[in-house]
Amino acid sequence: KYVSSPSGIDFSEVSSDTNGKGVYELYTTKDEKYPIHYYRGDVNNNVIFANFCWKIIRTTETGGIKLIYNGKPSDDGKCDNMGAATQIGTSVYNGNYDEAKYVGYKYDNDEVDSTIKTEIESWYKTNIDEKKDASGKSYTTYLEDLEFCNDRSSRTIDNNVFYGAYDRNYYNGNRKPSLVCPQDSDKFTVANGKLTYPVGLITNDETVYAGGVWDIANNTYYLYTGEWYWTMSPSSFDGGYAYVWRVYSTGSFRGVSVNDYNGGVRPVVSLKQGTKYLSGNGSKETPFLITPLPEKPKSIYQIIKTVSVFDNIKSEYVSSEEGVDFGKISSDTNGKGVYELHTTKDEQYPIYYYRGDVDNNVIFANFCWKIIRTTETGGIKLIYNGEPSDDTKCNNIEEKTEIGKSVYNTYINIAKYVGYKYDNDTKDSTIKANIDSWYKTNIDEKKDKNGKSYTTYLEDIIFCNDRSISSTLDTFIFYGAYNRIFENKKPSLVCPQEEDKFTLSNGKLKYPVGLITSDEVAYAGGVYDTSNTTYYLYNNQNYWTMTPFDFNHNDLVTSNYIRMGTVGFKSISYYGGSQLYGIRPVVGLKSDTQVIGKGTSDSPYIVAQ
């Protein structure tokens, strides 16, 4: 289609719409097990591998895929780099130039590395060999031990030496590039000990197959970058200077002294035969994706804010014109998603809360959590949801969502025992002691990959143990939440009394951890004594909130008891504090927390470290 001559491609002319554009099979290899296929001209040969962009040069004699470095992908996964962005840097080929041996990728009987080989292998070690894919494998495992040719075959005239590629691609008017390395001594592989890593440079012959010609500009083929960069092919030793071929800034190629500092470095590697791609079509906009790009962390607060709607209006999952009805459980018509608390819309950090069956999964400190809501300072309040599976999923249910079972308080016969702390907040409740013990071992004393305690990710949020009294009746004392949740069906995130706010800064907490409140359960989709098995807080168990419900001070002391808010089979319930129920700690991530992932149980948000 793109070759007009009956005799095929003319390698003394640049690639074009009439002299080669596309993928070609090298006819001289047609009978081999793995015929060579090479790219030529302006083509879609872009690849993302090991978080870098590459261009496909050709296939190899073993069916591999030879790639040349082409920079880093853009934020949206494109590979459209030009100029210096296509290189890992610049380097001389060799620091010395005044002997023929310095055309060698190695020299002195191949015992001394060239300057450029040292540069390439140093980059490769850090950026390919020591980097790992999602499964923990080094990216080197994707690559074959390909043969790199530093063709030093030559002829000598007077004191000048002219190397193989000089005669094939410059001196010979009928130019005939070749992919055969004439001398075994010029083959560089890991297996023969001449390479530390399976990485090298493109050859001059490969630039000719791609569409380049000596001293003729070509700005339309895929190797054109607008910059000079080195090949691995010696040109000559002439006039006391060692020359190696370089791709020129016009897209042509020229022999350049090995000590010229202005040469770009574009490493070349080869994917193994049988390498599969995940997606893409090879274009700059949609490269062939061999290994996924690492996801860029995003602000979890901004994610939540962006998808929220007001809770006092009709919306996609709210059919009432008045908004969410907290007298009814969450549903596809009464709230499912992220809602902005309309009463906080004018505040610096409006409250956003999750309701119903939602994707609000987070992995933090190697545990699964569910997002409850944002805080008054822009933090993210989380409730414990167990440990991730081996494949990093968060799909726990029942006891696996809890750190264990506990009574709320060992004592229940005096009103003070509704307190998260009691006796003027000098003594810890049983459940607080259990939570603090777990937190100390599993969060505070554990460190991230940078050696920081996971506590450093958390803000000092207010935990409300609302002991305000809403009413009394006969022998009962009813606390604030009884009025809000049971009678009026109007939950609130305001803590009515200063003395019921538990924080690190006021000395009532030892660690920034507590429990969910019954009001937060109501916002999430729970209703007193009404079953709800489809919202995110349901785990087919009973577990404690931090919210007092009532105290019955019957004349018979033995029948006095406190009742605390719980989450369970009836989505909001109240049970005596001596019941053995589940513990699900609650913490608050700082407002600037970044995450990757989707928030689903199969792909949770993962807090970036």
Side-chain angles (χ1 to χ4, degrees), residues 194-467:
K194 294 189 178 184
L195 296 180
T196 306
Y197 302 106
V199 62
L201 290 168
I202 196 169
T203 67
N204 177 244
D205 296 87
E206 288 167 337
T207 68
V208 175
Y209 279 112
V213 174
W214 180 80
D215 211 31
I216 300 179
N218 185 359
N219 62 8
T220 62
Y221 78 136
Y222 74 87
L223 288 177
Y224 170 78
T225 68
E227 294 285 330
W228 290 85
Y229 57 93
W230 294 104
T231 78
M232 198 168 171
S233 299
S235 170
S236 63
F237 179 72
D238 188 0
Y241 284 84
Y243 291 93
V244 168
W245 292 113
R246 243 173 31 190
V247 178
Y248 191 42
S249 57
T250 62
S252 65
F253 61 85
R254 292 183 179 180
V256 180
S257 176
V258 294
N259 70 332
D260 190 298
Y261 69 92
N262 198 32
V265 184
R266 300 184 71 190
V268 170
V269 297
S270 184
L271 295 167
K272 288 178 178 176
Q273 190 273 333
T275 298
K276 294 180 171 58
Y277 68 99
L278 302 174
S279 62
N281 58 14
S283 66
K284 295 176 182 179
E285 293 74 21
T286 314
F288 293 124
L289 192 63
I290 308 300
T291 52
L293 282 170
E295 191 176 345
K296 294 186 181 297
K298 306 176 287 292
S299 164
I300 191 169
Y301 184 86
Q302 289 300 321
I303 293 171
I304 294 169
K305 178 180 178 180
T306 302
V307 298
S308 69
V309 294
F310 282 109
D311 64 357
N312 65 334
I313 61 171
K314 185 176 181 179
S315 58
E316 182 179 5
Y317 292 110
V318 178
S319 58
S320 170
E321 298 290 344
E322 285 74 39
V324 175
D325 180 355
F326 294 106
K328 299 177 181 178
I329 63 171
S330 57
S331 67
D332 286 357
T333 58
N334 194 40
K336 182 173 77 171
V338 182
Y339 294 87
E340 181 174 342
L341 190 62
H342 68 279
T343 56
T344 65
K345 64 180 180 180
D346 297 324
E347 297 179 9
Q348 181 180 359
Y349 294 104
I351 301 296
Y352 305 99
Y353 62 90
Y354 280 84
R355 180 174 174 85
D357 183 14
V358 284
D359 290 330
N360 61 341
N361 297 273
V362 172
I363 291 179
F364 161 65
N366 304 319
F367 294 109
C368 295
W369 307 78
K370 298 275 189 179
I371 303 171
I372 302 169
R373 64 176 179 96
T374 62
T375 68
E376 293 74 11
T377 51
I380 313 296
K381 202 167 184 180
L382 310 175
I383 186 169
Y384 179 87
N385 201 49
E387 298 182 7
S389 61
D390 290 342
D391 54 356
T392 327
K393 295 180 180 179
C394 287
N395 48 17
N396 298 310
I397 195 67
E398 298 184 342
E399 286 95 341
K400 289 184 178 181
T401 65
E402 305 165 349
I403 65 168
K405 305 285 187 184
S406 173
V407 297
Y408 185 86
N409 240 333
T410 304
Y411 307 104
I412 63 168
N413 60 340
I414 303 175
K416 68 181 180 180
Y417 295 128
V418 302
Y420 197 57
K421 297 180 78 168
Y422 57 92
D423 284 351
N424 295 318
D425 293 339
T426 60
K427 295 181 180 178
D428 288 348
S429 62
T430 307
I431 200 166
K432 180 179 183 298
N434 286 331
I435 288 174
D436 283 356
S437 176
W438 176 87
Y439 181 95
K440 177 178 183 292
T441 301
N442 293 278
I443 305 291
D444 192 61
E445 294 179 349
K446 292 287 178 69
K447 292 179 171 56
D448 69 6
K449 67 180 183 181
N450 300 309
K452 295 192 305 179
S453 165
Y454 283 113
T455 291
T456 60
Y457 289 76
L458 302 177
E459 67 171 356
D460 183 16
I461 61 177
I462 294 171
F463 291 93
C464 186
N465 178 220
D466 178 17
R467 292 169 285 192

Side-chain angles (χ1 to χ4, degrees), residues 83-130:
T86 64
Q87 305 167 173
I88 64 168
T90 58
S91 173
V92 297
Y93 187 91
N94 251 324
N96 298 316
Y97 65 90
D98 55 354
E99 294 184 53
K101 67 180 180 179
Y102 295 125
V103 301
Y105 197 57
K106 298 181 79 166
Y107 56 92
D108 286 348
N109 295 318
D110 290 341
E111 292 179 357
V112 180
D113 286 348
S114 63
T115 307
I116 201 166
K117 179 176 183 291
T118 302
E119 293 286 334
I120 288 173
E121 291 194 338
S122 175
W123 175 87
Y124 181 95
K125 177 178 184 290
T126 302
N127 293 277
I128 304 293
D129 192 62
E130 293 179 350

